[in-house]
Amino acid sequence: MSNQEDQKTDIQEFKLEADQELRFEVESKSEKVYLSLKSGLAEVFGTEIVKGKLYEFTAGAKIAVFTWHGCVLEIRGKTDVIYVAKETPMVVYSNCHAALEFMRNEAEKENCKGPTVMVVGPCDVGKSTVSRILLNYAVREGRRPIYVDLDSGQGQISIPGTVGALLIERPASIDEGFAQEAPLIYHFGHKSHEKNTALFSILTTQLANNIKDKLEVNKRARASGIVINTCGWIKGEGYKQLLNNTKVFEVDIILVLDQERLYNELVRDVPDFVKVIFLQKSGGVVERSKSARAEARDQRIREYFYGTLRSSLYPHSFDMKWSELKIYKIGAPAIPDSCLPLGMKPKDHMTKLVLLSPNLGLLHHILAVSFCESGEDDIIKTHVAGFVCVTNVDIDRQLITLLSPQPKPLPNNILIMSDLQFMDSH
């Protein structure tokens, strides 16, 4: 079937030959699209499709169904774009997986760390998709890799405004992604790394050290290695962050998507033992607008509290006295260099904790619930238990109303304010 940009409706059947890919998008909020495999074998981003099962997709879905041997697919509902692509990079991605699998076998024999892969490139080139494919292929080989998400703008493991890691034990669900069981999450609090590069560096170093400790005691995960997804900020300070990530995570392989300039800069600047590989992006990758990105962030936060269509959650709303909580913000106003205390560096104010008093400015903000039990020095470097949203502030009664995934009491009374906001419309 030829490339078609017009809308399609009702039930359609597509016969794919070997190494072909069916790509479709769902943009309308009122529409649902259903996919089923009638015959043959097919996969979505490395996860095998179960024959005869109906998969549901809603607004924002951009799906690519690939087959190695040929298949027949059925699509029900209205898609905004749908076509069969004969040229796909899946063979190249599969070759990358094969090379990583060879390194994992060697690591298993030597009882040492498996490959650490970092996927880099500008915005909207498919970094998250490539990471997902490599992780799914690894799990299907019986591996247990660790997925590290350093893209605080979208939040693949947790909500936006965080960085974190997740042990992958089974392939991602086709319509809902990886199971979110016991992730290791650190609060960053911004959608862009530019907002606080000093804090981001501290968190990535802390995350890397924590992962190293976990790999010491988990032999299977150690040999399986790490896959790191990064954000699309690749110039100036963003490029320096990539170099820092390479160092603190002890990266072995960097996969550069779509930009030769970045590839050549990394070849020049990283140590010789780090392999830098250039990959073409998939033809199905679509550039997103700012509004689409904002909507995706809002949807991620909504799903954290209310779940998805398939698995609904029922969050709790309750009041807490201000005196029962300690709410902090990371980052104080800048001080002129001439006024800095002795020994304080120009960027130190960016990682300073500020205790907040009751104010209406907290309304609709996301708050991270810290695991920290000791002094203020440890709050920034401590991972978080989860998140709540401020739905009301009563200054007169000194009460704050929180939307929370679990009922009272909170795991801890130390909360950290995020720049991200969520308007609870339920």
Side-chain angles (χ1 to χ4, degrees):
M1 186 165 178
S2 61
N3 186 344
Q4 298 175 43
E5 297 295 326
D6 54 334
Q7 292 186 338
K8 292 289 178 182
T9 57
D10 304 322
I11 299 177
Q12 302 170 81
E13 196 168 273
F14 295 85
K15 185 174 182 180
L16 274 64
E17 297 177 6
D19 297 341
Q20 288 187 344
E21 197 168 65
L22 176 68
R23 298 169 182 163
F24 64 88
E25 298 175 27
V26 186
E27 292 179 10
S28 174
K29 289 184 178 180
S30 60
E31 295 297 334
K32 293 180 182 178
V33 172
Y34 299 91
L35 162 73
S36 62
L37 175 66
K38 309 302 286 183
S39 64
L41 299 169
E43 59 186 48
V44 173
F45 307 137
T47 302
E48 291 180 289
I49 298 178
V50 178
K51 186 178 175 182
K53 183 178 178 179
L54 211 57
Y55 296 93
E56 180 182 306
F57 302 97
T58 54
K62 294 175 175 60
I63 304 299
V65 187
F66 179 79
T67 178
W68 291 101
H69 308 289
C71 68
V72 176
L73 300 167
E74 184 180 272
I75 300 288
R76 301 182 190 178
K78 185 189 291 184
T79 57
D80 293 85
V81 178
I82 188 164
Y83 63 96
V84 174
K86 296 179 181 178
E87 297 287 331
T88 87
M90 285 299 295
V91 174
V92 176
Y93 298 162
S94 177
N95 288 339
C96 287
H97 161 69
L100 295 174
E101 194 56 27
F102 175 80
M103 295 173 73
R104 291 182 183 115
N105 287 328
E106 293 299 306
E108 218 166 24
K109 291 175 188 174
E110 301 290 331
N111 194 23
C112 62
K113 183 173 76 74
T116 297
V117 191
M118 185 166 72
V119 185
V120 305
C123 293
D124 298 324
V125 292
K127 296 185 294 297
S128 300
T129 299
V130 171
S131 301
R132 179 168 167 171
I133 290 168
L134 294 176
L135 289 162
N136 279 330
Y137 281 173
V139 172
R140 285 165 62 180
E141 296 277 1
R143 305 296 183 182
R144 295 293 180 268
I146 288 180
Y147 179 30
V148 175
D149 186 21
L150 300 182
D151 184 2
S152 66
Q154 297 301 311
Q156 295 291 316
I157 293 177
S158 183
I159 66 170
T162 62
V163 295
L166 182 67
L167 181 69
I168 306 298
E169 299 184 282
R170 62 182 72 91
S173 162
I174 285 175
D175 37 12
E176 293 195 343
F178 291 110
Q180 307 289 304
E181 293 170 7
L184 178 65
I185 304 298
Y186 287 87
H187 167 84
F188 178 56
H190 308 281
K191 63 186 178 184
S192 169
H193 299 178
E194 295 176 70
K195 295 286 187 181
N196 198 336
T197 54
L199 174 61
F200 189 78
S201 294
I202 289 172
L203 295 181
T204 49
T205 302
Q206 190 69 22
L207 180 60
N209 290 336
N210 206 316
I211 290 171
K212 285 175 193 172
D213 292 341
K214 290 187 181 300
L215 292 182
E216 287 292 321
V217 296
N218 190 329
K219 185 177 178 181
R220 197 171 178 187
R222 184 165 66 245
S224 300
I226 303 167
V227 176
I228 305 169
N229 179 41
T230 60
C231 75
W233 187 31
I234 57 173
K235 294 180 181 177
E237 282 292 326
Y239 180 71
K240 290 178 183 177
Q241 290 285 354
L242 290 181
L243 294 179
N244 183 60
N245 296 341
T246 304
K247 182 180 177 182
V248 298
F249 285 99
E250 298 175 358
V251 170
D252 305 300
I253 300 168
I254 302 176
L255 302 179
V256 184
L257 285 173
D258 194 50
Q259 195 175 95
E260 290 186 357
R261 176 181 170 180
L262 178 62
Y263 165 78
N264 285 298
E265 287 174 341
L266 287 167
V267 168
R268 178 193 68 202
D269 294 334
V270 300
D272 292 339
F273 60 81
V274 179
K275 296 184 180 71
V276 185
I277 301 167
F278 180 78
L279 298 177
Q280 295 285 350
K281 71 175 180 179
S282 169
V285 173
V286 184
E287 193 170 331
R288 291 175 295 178
S289 63
K290 282 188 177 181
S291 61
R293 287 175 167 279
E295 201 167 299
R297 276 192 292 272
D298 203 50
Q299 182 63 23
R300 287 290 295 169
I301 297 172
R302 185 176 290 106
E303 287 175 359
Y304 177 80
F305 290 107
Y306 289 100
T308 62
L309 289 172
R310 279 183 56 202
S311 51
S312 296
L313 300 176
Y314 301 93
H316 302 262
S317 182
F318 49 80
D319 293 335
M320 291 197 71
K321 293 178 182 176
W322 196 270
S323 57
E324 296 175 332
L325 301 170
K326 288 183 179 178
I327 302 181
Y328 293 91
K329 182 178 185 298
I330 302 174
I335 305 171
D337 290 0
S338 58
C339 301
L340 287 173
L342 192 64
M344 187 175 178
K345 298 174 184 176
K347 280 192 174 182
D348 283 356
H349 70 281
M350 297 300 294
T351 54
K352 184 175 174 59
L353 276 175
V354 179
L355 186 62
L356 300 175
S357 56
N359 68 88
L360 293 173
L362 282 168
L363 196 59
H364 305 307
H365 276 271
I366 298 294
L367 305 178
V369 183
S370 176
F371 268 127
C372 183
E373 296 177 356
S374 54
E376 291 186 357
D377 291 343
D378 296 326
I379 291 175
I380 291 174
K381 294 183 179 181
T382 303
H383 55 285
V384 299
F387 304 90
V388 293
C389 180
V390 181
T391 56
N392 189 44
V393 179
D394 190 328
I395 299 293
D396 295 333
R397 297 167 62 204
Q398 294 280 290
L399 290 177
I400 184 169
T401 306
L402 299 176
L403 181 72
S404 168
Q406 69 173 48
K408 290 172 76 173
L410 292 175
N412 200 354
N413 70 334
I414 296 175
L415 308 178
I416 316 168
M417 190 177 90
S418 170
D419 271 358
L420 282 89
Q421 293 178 279
F422 172 63
M423 296 285 286
D424 183 20
S425 57
H426 277 71

